Amino acid sequence: MASYKEPSFKDRAALSADAKQRALEKLKAKPPVDPAVVAARTAAREAKEEAEAKKREEKKAALEQARLDKLAKAAAAEQAIKDAEQAAIQAEIDKKAARDARYAARKSRK
């Protein structure tokens, strides 16, 4: 069985140069990109970006609308509370007026 021999610097440099040459040849053998294909890819990418931007804007608008709806609902609830308080105060005033009227009627009978 043959023993392992450590490759020398020249061997490693030659292997590296050979690998670089093969990679360069492989790259040169690659067919050129068709401009029509590049244009189609660019158009598709731009259309996708526009769709994503539109989707982001719609989502932003929906969030803003939800926030405005929430504020309107809170304002309506606050107004309902104020109306209920006002109705309670008016009921107390009406009770007092009725009580005073009964008292005045009793006084006038005597």
Side-chain angles (χ1 to χ4, degrees):
M1 181 176 215
S3 64
Y4 176 73
K5 180 181 172 191
E6 187 74 26
S8 68
F9 177 75
K10 285 184 178 182
D11 293 337
R12 292 192 318 262
L15 283 173
S16 175
D18 185 43
K20 286 180 186 177
Q21 187 63 33
R22 280 184 286 158
L24 185 62
E25 288 172 1
K26 186 177 178 182
L27 184 65
K28 286 181 180 179
K30 194 174 183 181
V33 180
D34 187 17
V37 172
V38 172
R41 287 180 185 167
T42 303
R45 184 178 61 245
E46 288 174 358
K48 183 179 177 184
E49 289 172 357
E50 287 176 15
E52 289 173 352
K54 184 177 178 184
K55 187 176 179 181
R56 279 193 304 270
E57 288 298 319
E58 289 174 353
K59 185 176 181 180
K60 188 176 179 181
L63 289 174
E64 182 65 20
Q65 185 62 38
R67 185 183 72 81
L68 291 175
D69 290 345
K70 188 176 180 181
L71 288 175
K73 189 175 181 181
E78 189 175 311
Q79 186 62 36
I81 290 170
K82 286 181 183 177
D83 291 344
E85 289 174 352
Q86 201 65 19
I89 291 170
Q90 188 62 40
E92 288 295 320
I93 291 171
D94 291 343
K95 281 182 185 179
K96 186 174 187 301
R99 186 175 61 239
D100 290 347
R102 285 192 310 267
Y103 179 73
R106 257 194 331 258
K107 281 289 216 183
S108 67
R109 281 191 296 230
K110 288 186 177 185

